[in-house]
Structure formats: C-alpha cells, structure tokens
Amino acid sequence: MSTMSRNAIFLLVTMLLAMAAQCNANFPYYFGDFKVSIRNGFSGNIKLEVNCTSFDDDLGRHWLRKGETYSFSFHTDILGTTTWDCRLATQDAPLGTSQLFKCDYDFLKKCDFRECKWDVRDDTEYLLDIPQNKYVRWAHT
C-alpha cells in the first residue's frame, strides 16, 4: 500500500472518530445513551400533540394534557449524526417542527450529556440547562 493511501485512510479514520466524539464527549460514562422528555407547559387547558422522527424512526403521534410528559430513550449512531425532529401542534393549530436533539457539544452540555428535558410553553420551547438548573428559552431550529 502506498504512503498516500495510508495517509488517506488515516485521515478518514481520524475524521470519523472526531465526528463520533461530538455525541460521546463523556465516553465511557454516557456513550450513546440519551433520553428526551417533552412536557406540556401551556398555561390553559390546551392539548399538545408531539410527533418525533429521526432518520430511521417515527415514534408516532402522542397527545399530552396540561402538565403531562412524553419521554423516549435511544442510542446515538456511531458517527454522531443522530437528530430528533419533533412536530408540535395544539388541537387548534400547528406550532412547527423543532430539533429537540442533536449531536452538538454545547447542546449536549445543557442536557448533562444524558437527558434533554423540554417544556413547551405558550411562547416557545424551553430546554432545562441541567448544570445551571434552569430552563432556557430555545429558538426554533
């Protein structure tokens, strides 16, 4: 095998390992195990519909009454490209689709590298910043 081929393989393997490290920043403690929780935090008697999908999974529609929570757990893929997009709606209108999980170090840090807790309120979604122990307003992505 030529030196150029060895260098190309080395660079490819290094790049793949770096991509995987994004979601596995605390390896081995939280290697690939995550949980997402979505709570209906509306102030009125409004039902929240949640429909979450990833590249290869569709978790179906779930209706939450005020104060109820829907949770799911999963393992990230080896390349660290796992995302979960959730379509949110009320009984009256769609609210849009939000990315409620992504393999990004700053995002995962707020989730304490294990659980992303969302509270859907009248104005937008809020993510619990676990290390700071406070909910932060989240912009749609």
Side-chain angles (χ1 to χ4, degrees):
M1 184 181 289
S2 72
T3 303
M4 182 182 272
S5 296
R6 280 190 215 122
N7 288 342
I9 291 171
F10 173 77
L11 288 174
L12 178 63
V13 169
T14 302
M15 183 180 74
L16 291 173
L17 289 173
M19 288 172 61
Q22 287 252 345
C23 263
N24 304 314
N26 283 346
F27 177 78
Y29 302 108
Y30 298 112
F31 180 67
D33 294 326
F34 291 92
K35 181 178 180 180
V36 172
S37 299
I38 306 159
R39 180 183 173 274
N40 180 347
F42 283 109
S43 60
N45 190 22
I46 299 172
K47 286 186 178 178
L48 174 66
E49 178 189 3
V50 178
N51 185 3
C52 297
T53 59
S54 69
F55 175 73
D56 56 356
D57 289 303
D58 183 339
L59 302 179
R61 293 170 37 175
H62 301 271
W63 286 96
L64 307 176
R65 291 187 213 112
K66 180 179 178 178
E68 289 184 332
T69 300
Y70 171 67
S71 300
F72 59 95
S73 299
F74 58 94
H75 301 284
T76 57
D77 64 31
I78 190 74
L79 296 178
T81 60
T82 302
T83 60
W84 282 95
D85 299 320
C86 298
R87 186 173 76 54
L88 306 173
T90 66
Q91 65 264 27
D92 299 323
L95 301 174
T97 301
S98 295
Q99 192 171 74
L100 299 187
F101 181 85
K102 59 184 174 180
C103 289
D104 172 79
Y105 183 82
D106 292 330
F107 173 80
L108 292 176
K109 186 176 177 182
K110 288 181 179 13
C111 300
D112 203 23
F113 299 97
R114 67 180 195 277
E115 183 173 7
C116 302
K117 295 182 178 184
W118 293 93
D119 195 38
V120 180
R121 301 180 187 172
D122 296 326
D123 56 343
T124 193
E125 298 92 34
Y126 288 78
L127 175 65
L128 179 61
D129 185 335
I130 293 174
Q132 299 295 318
N133 195 31
K134 68 177 184 178
Y135 279 94
V136 293
R137 186 182 176 125
W138 205 257
H140 287 276
T141 58

